[in-house]
Amino acid sequence: MSRLLMRLYELKRRPHEKTIPIIIGSGGTFISTGKFNKRDGCRLDTEILAWPAYAGLRCPSGLSSHITCTDKIAVRIPGESFALDLVRAAGFPITATSANISGLPAARDVSMISEYFYDRLDLIIDGGTSRNTQPSTIVDVTRQTAVVLREGAISARASSPAS
């Protein structure tokens, strides 16, 4: 697995201190892996589920350093998409990142992916044109109150569960 993650870093020219997030199909799937505690899964379901955001959760031991270089891991439940269908069909978390060279805008369609990566990819699945134009917001839910670490598709004001 680490070899594949290393290849992903190379393709994207991604700094190694910037970890690769994972996507899940639901909070229940997340908890069923047995690697995360129920409290984090509940917070994920109740606070993050409907957001275009990654939640920073406490990381269990034994995961690749390419997925976590701190004590946290970024987890997201994607909106209705091919990615959501794929992770639900798999029944377990999978790594996910935008299709781009690090620092450049995310590819919105197959032609942009081809421009970025030329013939260096083994497979491209055409899910149509992406409606997302902004990166996901990153929210740390390991604290008593969720904290926005990076604003993206949602603002810090809109991200508070109390708002």
Side-chain angles (χ1 to χ4, degrees), residues 54-77:
Y54 280 98
L57 300 175
R58 289 187 219 310
C59 184
S61 61
L63 291 181
S64 169
S65 62
H66 298 298
I67 297 173
T68 178
C69 64
T70 66
D71 64 341
K72 297 177 186 166
I73 185 168
V75 177
R76 177 176 176 216
I77 300 173

Side-chain angles (χ1 to χ4, degrees), residues 104-124:
L104 295 178
R108 295 186 54 208
D109 56 33
V110 170
S111 66
M112 280 185 80
I113 293 170
S114 296
E115 286 177 36
Y116 283 149
F117 299 106
Y118 308 105
D119 61 351
R120 294 180 289 155
L121 298 178
D122 298 325
L123 173 71
I124 298 174

Side-chain angles (χ1 to χ4, degrees), residues 45-108:
D45 269 342
T46 59
E47 296 181 17
I48 305 298
L49 185 59
W51 302 354
Y54 280 98
L57 300 175
R58 289 187 219 310
C59 184
S61 61
L63 291 181
S64 169
S65 62
H66 298 298
I67 297 173
T68 178
C69 64
T70 66
D71 64 341
K72 297 177 186 166
I73 185 168
V75 177
R76 177 176 176 216
I77 300 173
E80 292 300 320
S81 62
F82 175 80
L84 180 61
D85 293 342
L86 178 64
V87 75
R88 283 184 173 162
F92 53 82
I94 60 175
T95 58
T97 181
S98 55
N100 65 325
I101 302 297
S102 191
L104 295 178
R108 295 186 54 208

Side-chain angles (χ1 to χ4, degrees), residues 2-161:
S2 284
R3 191 176 89 235
L4 295 174
L5 290 170
M6 287 172 45
R7 182 162 185 247
L8 181 58
Y9 273 95
E10 290 169 11
L11 284 168
K12 290 181 58 78
R13 299 181 207 145
R14 187 178 180 99
H16 286 276
E17 57 276 356
K18 192 173 182 183
T19 60
I20 302 290
I22 61 173
I23 59 173
I24 59 175
S26 70
T29 299
F30 183 62
I31 296 305
S32 71
T33 65
K35 293 185 177 285
F36 299 90
N37 72 48
K38 216 172 202 52
R39 181 183 163 277
D40 283 344
C42 292
R43 300 239 3 223
L44 185 67
D45 269 342
T46 59
E47 296 181 17
I48 305 298
L49 185 59
W51 302 354
Y54 280 98
L57 300 175
R58 289 187 219 310
C59 184
S61 61
L63 291 181
S64 169
S65 62
H66 298 298
I67 297 173
T68 178
C69 64
T70 66
D71 64 341
K72 297 177 186 166
I73 185 168
V75 177
R76 177 176 176 216
I77 300 173
E80 292 300 320
S81 62
F82 175 80
L84 180 61
D85 293 342
L86 178 64
V87 75
R88 283 184 173 162
F92 53 82
I94 60 175
T95 58
T97 181
S98 55
N100 65 325
I101 302 297
S102 191
L104 295 178
R108 295 186 54 208
D109 56 33
V110 170
S111 66
M112 280 185 80
I113 293 170
S114 296
E115 286 177 36
Y116 283 149
F117 299 106
Y118 308 105
D119 61 351
R120 294 180 289 155
L121 298 178
D122 298 325
L123 173 71
I124 298 174
I125 298 173
D126 187 350
T129 301
S130 173
R131 295 172 291 199
N132 300 331
T133 58
Q134 293 183 305
S136 296
T137 301
I138 300 176
V139 182
D140 183 345
V141 297
T142 62
R143 306 169 191 203
Q144 189 64 28
T145 303
V147 175
V148 174
L149 302 177
R150 178 185 80 187
E151 276 196 27
I154 56 173
S155 71
R157 284 190 311 274
S159 65
S160 171

